[in-house]
Amino acid sequence: MERFKNDIERLISVRFDDVDALNEQLHTHLGEPTRQGLRDERIAERGMLGDLEVRNIKLRSAADDPAHANLIFEVALPSIALEEIIWEDSIVNPPHPDAPGSRPYWSAQVNGAKVVLGLAADNVTLTYVSIRQR
């Protein structure tokens, strides 16, 4: 768990408009940006974050300000179990009762970024990560 926490904190320390640094951290190659309305999106099929294989990596940024971005990726199985608070002030959010298929997730503010750690139906297995920098 400590290694995962450190890997996420290292990833957060990279400016999301520095695509080369993100590629290095995630051991991947984010493609060229495509315009999606008012935002740009870069995609990579797979990579690694520490010992975890990650897939469906997306970097979405404001077209007029690439530093304001959201990095989203799925964590391939076998994943890790998140059974305890990773960062102070982390909040576990239950599934939304009005949204079929909704899953629980952890959310936290970490070094100025919002981190969301999505969980599987078992409420502990990490399935996706979303990091928003502003």
Side-chain angles (χ1 to χ4, degrees):
M1 185 61 60
E2 192 64 28
R3 180 169 182 182
F4 173 73
K5 177 183 174 186
N6 292 336
D7 291 340
I8 291 290
E9 289 172 356
R10 265 193 305 279
L11 190 56
I12 290 169
S13 71
V14 171
R15 287 178 43 110
F16 285 1
D17 58 347
D18 186 348
V19 176
D20 291 335
L22 279 176
N23 285 336
E24 185 176 321
Q25 288 287 320
L26 291 171
H27 303 281
T28 195
H29 178 74
L30 290 160
E32 292 300 314
T34 58
R35 182 63 46 104
Q36 305 289 329
L38 297 175
R39 68 176 184 198
D40 288 335
E41 182 174 87
R42 293 175 181 262
I43 298 174
E45 191 172 313
R46 61 186 55 215
M48 297 291 292
L49 179 66
D51 291 335
L52 296 176
E53 180 182 353
V54 296
R55 297 182 181 158
N56 301 322
I57 305 163
K58 295 178 182 167
L59 176 63
R60 296 176 176 153
S61 59
D64 61 344
D65 188 358
H68 290 173
N70 191 18
L71 179 67
I72 305 161
F73 52 86
E74 297 171 6
V75 178
L77 295 175
S79 183
I80 59 172
L82 300 176
E83 298 177 298
E84 59 191 47
I85 291 176
I86 298 177
W87 295 283
E88 278 189 41
D89 302 325
S90 293
I91 299 169
V92 69
N93 299 276
H96 295 288
D98 298 337
S102 175
R103 301 277 172 84
Y105 61 94
W106 285 92
S107 62
Q109 289 290 327
V110 182
N111 300 331
K114 180 176 182 177
V115 177
V116 173
L117 306 174
L119 304 175
D122 66 4
N123 295 330
V124 296
T125 303
L126 177 66
T127 58
Y128 75 89
V129 175
S130 170
I131 303 169
R132 181 177 302 276
Q133 286 187 344
R134 296 186 187 244

